Amino acid sequence: MSSSPSKPSDLVTAGDVVLMQGLARRLVAIRPDLVNPGASFGGLAWIWGKGHGSAGNCWRRALWFADTPSGKELVAWAWAGLPRWVRSSDGSVRKVEDASLTFQVHPDHAELIDKVIAWFEGVAPDVDRRVVMTDTDKDMVVRWTEFGYRPDPAAAGEWTRLNERGLAERDPDDVAKPMLPEGYRFRTAAEVPAAAVAQAHLDAWHPSTYSVEAYQGVRTTAGYREDLHFLVEAPDGTMAASTIVWLDEANRTAEFEPVGTHPRFRRRGLGRALLLHAMGAARDAGAGHMTVACLGAPGNAALRLYEGLGFRELSRDTALVKRKAG
């Protein structure tokens, strides 16, 4: 067993993300319920792509490798977001006061969690430290609590649920035909100017830190395909809804990240039609399985949408926090 240097100067690189995606793929093949929030193939690509240009200098990482029959492989990693100033699309500026951690440990190397925790506390020693993980791995959650981490009250009611459904490739009726209102049409990012693609996300998630530059960062991320980045164009030319499909060809699975509809165009069936259209395209591209994450509290509109499309719970997250000393 060996590990990479864990100096605070170790910034997250595009190459690191590819290694992390590789671990995600290996986990999906054996225990998809153990993939942590933000550590999925598509989640890693989305987070890195949209944020490395603006927040990358506040991202630190550590990597742990092991010798395997296939060669040296990444078996654990930690990605910390440190305090920073954040500017949103509405012009507001806020300071992120705490440190947050995304991480993943292969279950065959569960002993590395102690190194992950020690590294996080070393790289962010004088601030509140927050971490989110799947609650499926009960032993992992217990280990964090043994280091003084407790349920995060700030995350109460904000927990997320990972949802899944199959795509029956031999049954064309498994995914219903999408129906758009008259005058609306499906587009791909290959057909739409970059500014309009970025605006579609900004409109759906206002206020947001997203921008045209962030979108260009997403486009250069491993796994991004503009033919699997879908939008709905309204009769007036507005990009009223959008989603990106991230295809993991090794496991024949795909995930939605993100999904959003402009507030002015909600409650018209656009989100449902968009997801059906995208699932059909994902199936045509080779996927036999889809996932999507959303807030898990009962009554959440997105959850109702996904359940109405046949998605069911695969796992849910748990958020922990350790307050700074003093």
Side-chain angles (χ1 to χ4, degrees):
M1 175 68 61
S2 62
S3 66
S4 68
S6 296
K7 302 185 296 295
S9 59
D10 290 335
L11 300 179
V12 184
T13 69
D16 295 332
V17 174
V18 173
L19 290 173
M20 295 170 183
Q21 288 176 310
L23 177 54
R25 280 173 157 163
R26 298 199 304 277
L27 279 183
V28 166
I30 59 170
R31 286 289 305 275
D33 57 316
L34 292 182
V35 177
N36 277 332
S40 64
F41 179 83
L44 285 162
W46 170 248
I47 294 167
W48 163 259
K50 70 185 179 71
H52 72 266
S54 59
N57 64 339
C58 296
W59 288 343
R60 301 292 187 272
R61 63 88 171 131
L63 311 173
W64 288 268
F65 297 86
D67 294 320
T68 73
S70 303
K72 192 175 290 294
E73 288 186 338
L74 183 72
V75 294
W77 56 264
W79 175 345
L82 302 182
R84 61 198 179 278
W85 290 96
V86 175
R87 181 180 296 277
S88 295
S89 55
D90 61 358
S92 63
V93 178
R94 65 183 178 87
K95 186 177 182 180
V96 177
E97 303 276 2
D98 54 15
S100 60
L101 182 75
T102 304
F103 76 97
Q104 191 70 66
V105 177
H106 192 287
D108 290 346
H109 300 271
E111 74 282 354
L112 286 175
I113 188 57
D114 287 10
K115 289 189 176 183
V116 169
I117 297 172
W119 176 84
F120 185 37
E121 299 203 334
V123 80
D126 299 317
V127 296
D128 291 350
R129 295 181 290 274
R130 288 184 161 82
V131 61
V132 180
M133 68 202 78
T134 175
D135 74 349
T136 306
D137 192 340
K138 305 299 183 183
D139 291 340
M140 187 75 71
V141 175
V142 168
R143 193 66 183 135
W144 281 92
T145 62
E146 290 173 346
F147 276 80
Y149 289 77
R150 298 291 180 264
D152 186 357
E158 298 294 318
W159 58 276
T160 60
R161 197 181 99 171
L162 181 62
N163 309 285
E164 66 172 349
R165 63 156 288 172
L167 299 175
E169 57 186 327
R170 295 187 180 183
D171 180 3
D173 295 327
D174 178 61
V175 177
K177 182 180 179 181
M179 303 294 291
L180 283 174
E182 184 177 357
Y184 292 79
R185 60 174 174 164
F186 296 116
R187 304 291 296 272
T188 70
E191 305 168 324
V192 176
V197 176
Q199 191 62 47
H201 182 80
L202 283 165
D203 289 338
W205 295 96
H206 181 81
S208 168
T209 59
Y210 206 59
S211 64
V212 174
E213 292 74 23
Y215 168 52
Q216 298 293 5
V218 171
R219 288 171 56 88
T220 64
T221 304
Y224 175 80
R225 288 176 47 171
E226 61 183 4
D227 65 320
L228 293 178
H229 187 166
F230 299 102
L231 304 101
V232 174
E233 182 179 3
D236 65 0
T238 301
M239 296 302 145
S242 66
T243 188
I244 303 176
V245 172
W246 301 93
L247 177 64
D248 172 2
E249 294 174 331
N251 292 298
R252 298 184 62 250
T253 188
E255 60 186 293
F256 290 117
E257 181 63 80
V259 180
T261 301
H262 191 305
R264 185 159 56 91
F265 294 94
R266 291 173 184 165
R267 306 184 71 83
R268 303 186 190 190
L270 302 186
R272 176 181 174 82
L274 176 65
L275 294 175
L276 287 170
H277 178 73
M279 282 193 287
R283 183 179 58 192
D284 292 344
H289 182 262
M290 290 291 310
T291 61
V292 64
C294 67
L295 292 177
N300 178 267
L303 180 60
R304 292 198 302 271
L305 170 63
Y306 300 136
E307 289 185 335
L309 290 169
F311 284 89
R312 296 296 180 262
E313 180 175 340
L314 173 61
S315 63
R316 58 180 64 189
D317 69 21
T318 186
L320 304 176
V321 63
K322 186 175 182 178
R323 302 296 182 186
K324 63 182 178 180

